[in-house]
Amino acid sequence: YKYRKKIYDNLIPLSNIEFFKDLTKTLPIFYDNTENSFTVFISIFDILYLVYTDKKQSIILYDLVNDKKITEIRKAHSAIITNLRHFLDKINKRDILISVSSEVNILKLWNINNMESILDIKIGDQKGFIFSVYCINDNNENYLIISNHIFASDVPIRIYDFQGNKINELNDSNINTYCMYTYYDKNLDKNFILTGNEGCSTSFDFRENKLYHEYKDEDDEIHCSLAIHAYENAKLIDSSKDGNIRVWDFHEGKLLYKIKVCDKELYGICLWNKDFVIAGCSDKTIKIVDLNRKELFRSLVSHYKCVRTVKKIAHPLYGDCLLSQGEQIKLWIIKDNKNSKK
C-alpha cells in the first residue's frame, strides 16, 4: 500500500502538468544537441532570473516572478550563443554568467549583478568551437572547466582559473565532448567532472586529475545530457541520440538499466524528483520518463521544433514548474495548483 500510494502521489502532479505560456519570441537555433541553451537561477539579490539569447547575440535577463525583461547585454558575442551557465561565486559574493558562442574558441564571463564583463578567454587556434563549459569551486578556489573543440577531439578538456590562466588538463579526455556536469560527493569530499561524449559518458576525479569511470554501453551514440540522481546511492543518468535514457551506478561505473523512450534523439534532461526524469526530444515533444516503471510516462506537445533544453524550477506563484526551449522558451505549470494565477 505504501508503495502504491507513493507512486500515486507522484503521478498526480505530472499527469496534470500543462503548457501555460510562451516567455520569449522565436529564438535562434543552433546545433540540436545544445543542452544548456538557457539558464535559470535565484540571484544573491533573490531575483528569479531566466537568462537566454536572441538573434542579435544579445544576452537577455528576464525576471520570472514579475514576468518582465530586466536588462540585456547587447551583442555579447559576434556569433550565435550556444551555451549559458550560471555560477554563484561565493568567494566574491556575485553571480557569474558564462557564455559560449559558435565563434571559434571564445568564452566570456559576466558579473550579472552589475552587468560588467569580467573575462574573455580565447583558447588557441584550433578548428571547431567550444561546446560546453562549467564552473567549479574546489578548496575555496574557482575554476573554469572547458570542453574540447567539436571537430578536434585531440584537444583535451582544459582547466582555467578566473584570471584566464590555464592551470591543467584532464587526462584521457581525447574524445568529442558534447555536454558537461559537476558533482560533489559529500562522503568522499570530492568534486567530479562528468562529460557526455560520442560513444560514452565519463567522470573525472577533479583533484587527482584522472579518469574515474567510463560509462559505456554497446553503442556509439552521442550522449547529449547528464544528471546525477543522489537521493540514495549516486546514479548517473544520461540521454543519447538513440532515444535511450541510461542509469548507471556512478561509483561502480556499471549500467543499472536502460529505458527505451522513443526512436528519436533525446537531448537536454532534468530530474523532476527521485522518480521521474524529463527529456527534450527531436520529435518536438518533451518526454516524461518513469524511473520506477522504467518506461515513458507521458509526452508533452507544444513546440514545433526540436526541444533542446528542459529545466525544473520552483516558482513563487506557480510552485514546481518546467521550462523548455525549442523555437521559444515555454513555461509549464501544474494544473489546478492552488497558488497558480492563470
Side-chain angles (χ1 to χ4, degrees), residues 84-137:
L84 291 168
R85 300 278 189 191
H86 167 257
F87 176 68
L88 177 59
D89 180 4
K90 294 181 180 179
I91 297 174
N92 299 296
K93 297 181 180 179
R94 58 184 179 174
D95 292 291
I96 303 297
L97 182 74
I98 309 99
S99 60
V100 179
S101 84
S102 57
E103 57 190 318
V104 176
N105 305 324
I106 298 290
L107 67 84
K108 299 185 178 186
L109 272 66
W110 313 86
N111 184 342
I112 291 302
N113 306 126
N114 59 19
M115 302 304 294
E116 291 183 355
S117 174
I118 298 173
L119 179 68
D120 290 8
I121 298 181
K122 183 174 182 180
I123 306 168
D125 298 316
Q126 292 91 349
K127 296 181 179 179
F129 53 89
I130 302 163
F131 216 83
S132 190
V133 63
Y134 234 104
C135 284
I136 195 171
N137 179 278

Side-chain angles (χ1 to χ4, degrees), residues 7-61:
I7 295 295
Y8 177 79
D9 288 344
N10 282 323
L11 288 180
I12 289 297
L14 279 174
S15 64
N16 288 341
I17 195 169
E18 63 177 14
F19 168 70
F20 185 54
K21 62 181 176 181
D22 291 322
L23 298 177
T24 69
K25 298 178 180 179
T26 301
L27 301 176
I29 300 295
F30 192 61
Y31 282 83
D32 283 345
N33 48 321
T34 300
E35 52 84 45
N36 213 65
S37 51
F38 68 86
T39 189
V40 59
F41 61 93
I42 299 175
S43 76
I44 60 173
F45 298 119
D46 291 327
I47 300 173
L48 180 58
Y49 275 125
L50 165 66
V51 184
Y52 60 94
T53 181
D54 65 12
K55 292 183 177 180
K56 296 180 181 180
Q57 289 79 57
S58 297
I59 296 173
I60 313 297
L61 276 74

Side-chain angles (χ1 to χ4, degrees), residues 5 27 51 57 127 141 165 190 192 202 209 220 298 337:
K5 186 175 187 301
L27 301 176
V51 184
Q57 289 79 57
K127 296 181 179 179
E141 295 288 341
N165 303 307
K190 282 188 175 183
F192 293 94
T202 53
N209 187 37
D220 293 314
R298 186 182 173 194
N337 188 318

